[in-house]
Amino acid sequence: MQQKSKLFLQALKYSIPHLGKCMQKEHLNHCNFADHYFNRIKLKKYHLTKCLQNKPRISELARNIPSRNFLCKNFLSSKQGNEKPLSENMDAFEKVRAKLETQPQEEYEIINAEIKHGGFVYYQEGCCLVRSKDEEADNDNYEVLFNLEELKLEQPFIDCIRVAPDEKYVAAKIRTEDSEASTCIVVKLSDQPVMEASFPNVSSFEWVKDEEDEDVLFYTFQRNLRCHDVYRATFGDNKRNERFYTEKDPSFFVFLYLTKDSRFLTMNIMSKTTSEVWLIDGLSPWDPPVLIQKRIHGVLYYVEHRDDELYILTNVGEPTEFKLMRTAADTPAIMNWDLFFTMKRNTKVVDLDMFKDHCVLFLKHSNLLYVNVIGLADDSVRSLKLPPWACGFIMDTNSDPENCPFQLCSPIRPPKYYTYKFAEGKLFEETGHEDPITKTSRVLRMEAKSKDGKLVPMTVFHKTDSEDLQKKPLLVQVYGAYGMDLKMHFRPERRVLVDDGWILAYCHVRGGGELGLQWHADGRLTKKLNGLADLEACIKTLHDQGFSQPSLTALTAFSAGGVLVGALCNSSPELLRAVTLEAPFLDVLNTMMDTTLPLTLEELEEWGNPSSDEKHKNYIKRYCPCQNIKPQHYPSIHITAYENDERVPLKGIVSYTEKLKEAVAEHAKDSGEGYQVPNIILDIQPGGNHVIEDSHKKITAQIKFLYEELGLDSTSVFNNLKKYLKF
């Protein structure tokens, strides 16, 4: 049996200028601040980098849009921040953390997150859904609730867990790695746990309890990647399952979110640019839902609740960036919203968490991470600038009203735990083993000037002791669509590339969301070419400033990021030597004209409607990778595609590949002897998932391709990969 443990982590905090202003009272002075959180871990010789979230965050309402892209400086004194002695009041989690401090970080494997409810912890152990008493969660004394093998699925895993309020039932969503299809099971908790029901194709789901103490499960049903139907079900003697709501506009989808205090279940009806929220009373779920504000085109809003007030994160008003507003719960319409907190320009709201006396905003400003802690009693604001190495947040469920835990991560550094403690007004950082990458690598925040003068942020990593960076290989990553940030979470294969001397560059081009909603607006529809210009400017800037050269430069992207990469290969192939793409979107024109595909109607706001708008059609023709292939020299390209991918149809990828091979062959005929023909490889993997991040076969194939194309020795990189991946 694998050893299991909970990890409790401490940390430091940094001081910084605040990112916004509170509209009612003065801010507190900036202070030095600095946490707790736990995850189930296994002690192994490699990392598993999937960390599942069990409780949806407000930000997930935006992140989970069905689209083609799914999925400080002044430290406290060292004496104060790095003390190791175990204090008298140290809890069990911190004692475990202290014992594990000396373990090399690469021996930790983060596995499926758990959910804590009442006195139990619920999680997956092997092929089973299990629970154990909280105080016994560090040993193997657990109760099996359900064996996943009963579902007869290939390598099933638990994607999400919800426990009914009185712990009479537990619901779990189960998936497999090679499919987006899911099954929600409901298990009755008793001396002999038994599966009470199962529902296919469930996306989001939440429990509430009615006036008669009966547990009611609300869930959304997903058909062809679209969530349009909401159901509610009860179990036991009064079993029923009925449709509660159907969204008729095909460009919208529905997502359920339970407010932090469980007072309201919110039914969020959303498109790419517009939202509408209904409140379902968590105490009277059979009553008709209450509409907060009817959908207004271009207006997005998300809702939290505290003390009979609604806190609304919305882009309504000028500027059209997110701001925090509030209103009484019994007067929710937009005319009653009062401005409470505004964000500074070029700020992305990553997430929001609500506590009894505080609201915490997780922010990205000018490519750096911040946390703003708003005191709800006095409207004070404390703003914390986080370490410059950090590139992303990892949020998790937290029911502790006194602490706000979170993790920070980067592409080359495993997550590190932090907790803001409200009583102390400080941010605490995990102590103990310091990842060596901190000293052996550098992270740079750079900017490139695009054709129109816009400054485009980049995040660059390389070894500290690298000499003559112009002769080092460079891997550039880009996305630039749907207002989504470029993924910056830890990837072991990125870590080993830096250790092996590579430069990594992440280009935060327009169309993404790194600088807020306007950054997205400036790179969608008939501004999509801005993202292409940004990408070209980033690569040229890197070369001009001595980071590698075209013959050692590779470009990588997945899903919708393939649009910009494919477009650059057509317009400026001389900048690149090799390209790797995964499930890439390459045939924009034909895909967006095919309304029978599941996501076409939902994505008209991102790409345009070439079927009915000639302007959109002509504009897409200008950049669509498949439409602009011509006989010329191309970089070598490795494409990974998935046989039954519903988000990016295989047909478009095959068509692009065949057309590209024809153009390459035609160009080779006219290039004479000695011309090195680029390799065009299409690797079709079985399965129906859109992107399988942890596929070792995919990772090794891509790295092998890059090393061969750039003429590099791959011996050491594969030896280092074995520290992280199980071959």
Side-chain angles (χ1 to χ4, degrees):
M1 189 65 64
Q2 300 286 346
Q3 179 183 355
K4 302 189 305 299
S5 176
K6 284 186 176 178
L7 190 58
F8 177 90
L9 303 158
Q10 273 202 89
L12 290 169
K13 137 95 223 257
Y14 303 68
S15 64
I16 55 295
H18 60 272
L19 294 185
K21 64 179 183 177
C22 186
M23 304 304 296
Q24 299 178 13
K25 295 192 178 181
E26 295 182 357
H27 311 290
L28 296 181
N29 293 330
H30 297 130
C31 309
N32 284 336
F33 311 109
D35 158 25
H36 107 221
Y37 172 79
F38 60 87
N39 235 47
R40 187 161 304 281
I41 65 168
K42 289 184 180 179
L43 300 180
K44 281 200 168 187
K45 290 292 183 181
Y46 61 95
H47 283 285
L48 175 66
T49 57
K50 175 192 294 179
C51 181
L52 300 176
Q53 302 293 328
N54 279 307
K55 177 81 168 74
R57 313 286 305 186
I58 274 194
S59 59
E60 286 189 29
L61 302 180
R63 291 189 191 128
N64 285 331
I65 293 175
S67 62
R68 292 186 172 88
N69 80 327
F70 298 102
L71 218 183
C72 261
K73 190 140 183 198
N74 299 323
F75 290 88
L76 295 172
S77 67
S78 58
K79 179 179 179 181
Q80 187 175 358
N82 295 317
E83 284 184 328
K84 304 287 179 65
L86 302 182
S87 62
E88 293 181 2
N89 61 354
M90 179 179 289
D91 62 26
F93 297 143
E94 190 166 4
K95 290 178 182 177
V96 171
R97 188 272 306 159
K99 292 177 182 178
L100 295 177
E101 278 181 349
T102 57
Q103 282 285 359
Q105 200 154 2
E106 58 266 24
E107 294 186 359
Y108 293 149
E109 178 200 1
I110 302 176
I111 65 170
N112 294 1
E114 66 222 9
I115 188 166
K116 184 177 177 182
H117 190 99
F120 290 92
V121 180
Y122 296 77
Y123 56 96
Q124 180 177 346
E125 177 64 34
C127 289
C128 296
L129 169 64
V130 304
R131 71 174 177 179
S132 61
K133 291 184 178 179
D134 189 24
E135 64 271 14
E136 298 176 355
D138 293 337
N139 56 45
D140 293 327
N141 185 17
Y142 52 77
E143 175 188 9
V144 174
L145 304 178
F146 181 74
N147 189 334
L148 305 187
E149 292 180 345
E150 293 183 26
L151 299 175
K152 301 187 185 309
L153 299 173
E154 185 71 23
Q155 296 183 321
F157 67 89
I158 297 176
D159 184 59
C160 189
I161 301 173
R162 296 287 183 272
V163 183
D166 289 337
E167 289 192 275
K168 296 176 183 176
Y169 300 95
V170 60
K173 185 170 74 170
I174 299 165
R175 291 182 50 206
T176 63
E177 284 287 1
D178 63 353
S179 173
E180 294 196 47
S182 62
T183 298
C184 179
I185 62 165
V186 176
V187 176
K188 184 177 181 179
L189 300 175
S190 60
D191 292 339
Q192 296 293 327
V194 60
M195 186 174 75
E196 184 88 0
S198 67
F199 306 109
N201 301 317
V202 170
S203 179
S204 57
F205 59 105
E206 297 287 352
W207 290 100
V208 294
K209 186 170 65 172
D210 68 12
E211 304 92 321
E212 299 178 359
D213 288 337
E214 184 173 38
D215 294 312
V216 185
L217 180 69
F218 284 79
Y219 65 91
T220 57
F221 178 75
Q222 180 171 290
R223 182 187 293 110
N224 295 327
L225 301 180
R226 300 173 180 173
C227 290
H228 290 162
D229 297 315
V230 181
Y231 287 78
R232 60 185 173 191
T234 57
F235 309 95
D237 296 334
N238 188 24
K239 183 177 293 187
R240 69 178 114 173
N241 185 30
E242 61 187 24
R243 187 163 57 182
F244 175 73
Y245 174 84
T246 296
E247 173 56 38
K248 292 182 170 56
D249 189 330
S251 64
F252 282 74
F253 72 99
V254 187
F255 188 86
L256 300 175
Y257 173 78
L258 189 65
T259 58
K260 181 74 176 286
D261 60 5
S262 300
R263 181 62 182 82
F264 291 104
L265 176 62
T266 64
M267 187 169 66
N268 302 269
I269 305 165
M270 305 177 62
S271 72
K272 294 290 190 294
T273 61
T274 305
S275 61
E276 175 180 290
V277 182
W278 293 74
L279 294 180
I280 299 170
D281 194 326
L283 303 177
S284 302
W286 303 105
D287 291 349
V290 175
L291 175 64
I292 292 182
Q293 173 58 47
K294 185 177 180 179
R295 64 193 73 172
I296 301 172
H297 181 71
V299 173
L300 291 164
Y301 69 98
Y302 314 107
V303 177
E304 257 295 357
H305 175 265
R306 168 193 173 271
D307 286 354
D308 296 324
E309 287 188 315
L310 300 178
Y311 288 79
I312 302 169
L313 192 63
T314 179
N315 67 334
V316 69
E318 293 295 335
T320 54
E321 297 291 345
F322 279 120
K323 50 196 72 75
L324 190 60
M325 309 185 86
R326 65 181 172 185
T327 184
D330 57 359
T331 56
I334 195 169
M335 71 279 296
N336 300 311
W337 297 0
D338 292 325
L339 185 61
F340 178 60
F341 186 83
T342 60
M343 315 301 162
K344 196 173 180 181
R345 187 174 174 271
N346 290 338
T347 297
K348 164 72 177 280
V349 180
V350 178
D351 217 325
L352 176 152
D353 203 354
M354 187 66 66
F355 296 84
K356 183 178 182 296
D357 298 315
H358 299 85
C359 175
V360 180
L361 290 168
F362 299 88
L363 308 172
K364 181 181 289 185
H365 173 66
S366 297
N367 208 20
L368 292 170
L369 300 186
Y370 295 78
V371 169
N372 275 13
V373 181
I374 305 173
L376 299 177
D378 57 4
D379 296 341
S380 60
V381 179
R382 285 180 171 172
S383 188
L384 320 177
K385 184 178 181 180
L386 299 173
W389 64 262
C391 301
F393 294 100
I394 298 176
M395 310 301 175
D396 203 88
T397 306
N398 174 46
S399 57
D400 183 352
E402 303 301 325
N403 300 298
C404 177
F406 58 92
Q407 299 175 69
L408 297 178
C409 61
S410 90
I412 64 171
R413 178 171 175 164
K416 190 168 188 178
Y417 295 82
Y418 289 74
T419 295
Y420 185 85
K421 297 191 175 184
F422 299 116
E424 300 177 39
K426 296 178 181 179
L427 185 68
F428 293 91
E429 177 185 14
E430 170 192 359
T431 57
H433 174 77
E434 186 66 26
D435 194 299
I437 198 73
T438 305
K439 296 182 179 179
T440 61
S441 69
R442 293 184 63 193
V443 55
L444 306 173
R445 298 306 201 286
M446 300 173 59
E447 290 181 324
K449 182 177 286 189
S450 197
K451 288 180 181 179
D452 59 0
K454 188 71 69 173
L455 295 178
V456 184
M458 297 182 286
T459 308
V460 179
F461 304 88
H462 67 83
K463 286 183 72 172
T464 304
D465 59 0
S466 290
E467 297 179 358
D468 200 356
L469 290 172
Q470 194 171 20
K471 296 181 180 179
K472 299 296 183 182
L474 167 66
L475 181 63
V476 179
Q477 186 157 323
V478 71
Y479 188 69
Y482 303 116
M484 306 290 287
D485 292 5
L486 189 56
K487 284 191 174 184
M488 300 287 283
H489 60 295
F490 174 65
R491 300 299 308 165
E493 66 271 24
R494 300 292 185 250
R495 166 71 167 263
V496 299
L497 289 179
V498 170
D499 287 340
D500 205 40
W502 283 70
I503 305 164
L504 301 185
Y506 291 76
C507 302
H508 310 293
V509 304
R510 280 173 284 185
E514 287 86 349
L515 297 184
L517 296 176
Q518 190 60 47
W519 196 248
H520 172 220
D522 288 342
R524 68 182 184 96
L525 295 176
T526 55
K527 296 183 179 180
K528 186 61 71 174
L529 283 168
N530 284 341
L532 176 59
D534 292 352
L535 176 59
E536 181 177 347
C538 286
I539 296 175
K540 287 182 176 179
T541 297
L542 289 166
H543 291 163
D544 291 345
Q545 296 194 18
F547 293 94
S548 195
Q549 53 189 289
S551 63
L552 290 173
T553 297
L555 179 58
T556 186
F558 77 99
S559 195
V563 173
L564 297 183
V565 173
L568 187 71
C569 289
N570 289 329
S571 64
S572 302
E574 71 281 357
L575 295 176
L576 307 168
R577 178 67 184 86
V579 168
T580 65
L581 295 169
E582 183 176 5
F585 187 30
L586 298 165
D587 193 2
V588 183
L589 183 62
N590 289 322
T591 300
M592 295 309 299
M593 293 185 72
D594 186 353
T595 56
T596 65
L597 295 174
L599 296 180
T600 296
L601 295 177
E602 288 185 7
E603 302 199 349
L604 295 178
E605 293 175 311
E606 179 69 25
W607 308 100
N609 190 346
S611 296
S612 62
D613 191 317
E614 197 67 20
K615 179 182 177 182
H616 287 171
K617 183 176 182 179
N618 291 332
Y619 190 85
I620 291 173
K621 284 182 177 180
R622 292 172 60 188
Y623 68 80
C624 175
C626 210
Q627 297 293 317
N628 291 281
I629 295 173
K630 52 184 176 289
Q632 64 174 4
H633 177 72
Y634 278 90
S636 291
I637 300 177
H638 182 285
I639 301 174
T640 304
Y642 299 96
E643 191 174 22
N644 299 313
D645 189 339
E646 294 181 85
R647 297 184 184 274
V648 178
L650 183 60
K651 178 182 176 181
I653 298 175
V654 171
S655 174
Y656 169 86
T657 305
E658 292 175 348
K659 196 172 181 179
L660 182 60
K661 286 182 176 180
E662 291 175 2
V664 166
E666 185 176 344
H667 177 69
K669 289 180 183 178
D670 302 327
S671 298
E673 295 184 9
Y675 174 69
Q676 186 176 354
V677 180
N679 292 309
I680 309 299
I681 300 170
L682 175 57
D683 179 14
I684 301 176
Q685 297 286 323
N689 210 341
H690 180 47
V691 174
I692 304 177
E693 289 189 340
D694 298 316
S695 167
H696 299 165
K697 181 180 178 181
K698 177 203 71 179
I699 291 170
T700 53
Q702 290 176 346
I703 289 181
K704 182 175 182 290
F705 171 81
L706 291 176
Y707 272 75
E708 288 178 351
E709 291 300 325
L710 273 60
L712 306 173
D713 182 2
S714 62
T715 305
S716 61
V717 74
F718 282 114
N719 287 335
N720 288 334
L721 262 181
K722 292 177 183 178
K723 296 179 182 178
Y724 300 94
L725 304 181
K726 184 169 59 176
F727 290 93

